[in-house]
Amino acid sequence: MNYGTIKNYDIANGTGVRVSLFVSGCRHHCKGCFNSETWDFNYGNPYTKEVEAEILEALKPAYIQGFSLLGGEPFEPENQKELAGLLQKIKESYPEKNVWCYTGYLYDVDLIPGGKVYTEYTDKMLACIDTLVDGEFIEAEKDLTLEFRGSRNQRILHLNEMRKTKIIH
């Protein structure tokens, strides 16, 4: 897996001050994408154990509220194994910090068993994500007044709240 950028002090992609990782590789190719260079799976730098350690270290300060995962596309099948491991380490190391993830895939369509990009790692990733912003960016629905998303079709899903209210049979 490659990544394009790590932002150690991001305030645009979730609540509070965050560490953000922009992974490489995306098949959506949304018209008007703000980060189209990351569509290429080979863009940027290789994700290594040293990069993982850098991210974990950047999350240490108390003023860092959490971690945001963007792209490219985190849920491309090629990215899921590495990201599942990273997210699990973040949750183990910093259970008090929240995790946001942005995906063009739909939570209740593409990320479920049988869904377009569902893999053996998808549930592991979702279990570590507190807030998921889903849906492709649609230029015709772009709205600069929206908080934490670019177009009106995108949803902000608070997965922790959804897990708490889910009825288990």
Side-chain angles (χ1 to χ4, degrees):
M1 183 182 84
N2 279 9
Y3 72 98
T5 308
I6 298 170
K7 291 186 177 181
N8 290 334
Y9 309 102
D10 187 359
I11 58 168
N13 297 298
T15 54
V17 181
R18 319 183 65 71
V19 175
S20 294
L21 172 67
F22 293 77
V23 299
S24 297
C26 182
R27 292 185 176 90
H28 299 294
H29 296 196
C30 301
K31 183 179 179 187
C33 175
F34 80 99
N35 209 11
S36 59
E37 64 274 9
T38 63
W39 293 352
D40 181 351
F41 282 86
N42 296 310
Y43 175 77
N45 301 299
Y47 179 84
T48 63
K49 292 296 173 196
E50 291 78 18
V51 172
E52 183 176 274
E54 177 186 336
I55 291 168
L56 291 170
E57 183 65 25
L59 285 163
K60 271 188 180 177
Y63 62 84
I64 299 292
Q65 187 168 337
F67 177 74
S68 292
L69 183 57
L70 309 93
E73 174 56 66
F75 279 98
E76 293 294 4
E78 297 88 336
N79 293 336
Q80 290 189 35
K81 180 179 181 181
E82 288 291 343
L83 295 175
L86 171 63
L87 294 176
Q88 287 172 326
K89 286 180 183 163
I90 289 170
K91 281 301 195 180
E92 289 166 8
S93 301
Y94 304 104
E96 74 284 2
K97 299 192 188 249
N98 61 56
V99 173
W100 281 55
C101 181
Y102 288 76
T103 180
Y105 292 109
L106 295 175
Y107 172 72
D108 49 355
V109 175
D110 302 311
L111 304 179
I112 60 172
K116 185 186 250 182
V117 292
Y118 185 84
T119 74
E120 63 186 293
Y121 301 103
T122 306
D123 288 335
K124 292 174 184 167
M125 288 178 65
L126 290 170
C128 297
I129 295 168
D130 301 296
T131 302
L132 183 73
V133 181
D134 79 342
E136 290 186 5
F137 172 75
I138 297 175
E139 196 169 42
E141 294 192 39
K142 181 177 180 176
D143 184 343
L144 297 177
T145 67
L146 296 171
E147 196 170 40
F148 306 124
R149 55 200 170 118
S151 58
R152 287 183 299 278
N153 64 296
Q154 295 173 312
R155 305 180 295 180
I156 298 174
L157 304 173
H158 300 287
L159 299 186
N160 275 344
E161 291 172 21
M162 292 169 67
R163 285 189 278 267
K164 287 177 191 172
T165 58
K166 189 174 187 177
I167 298 171
I168 301 171
H169 296 281

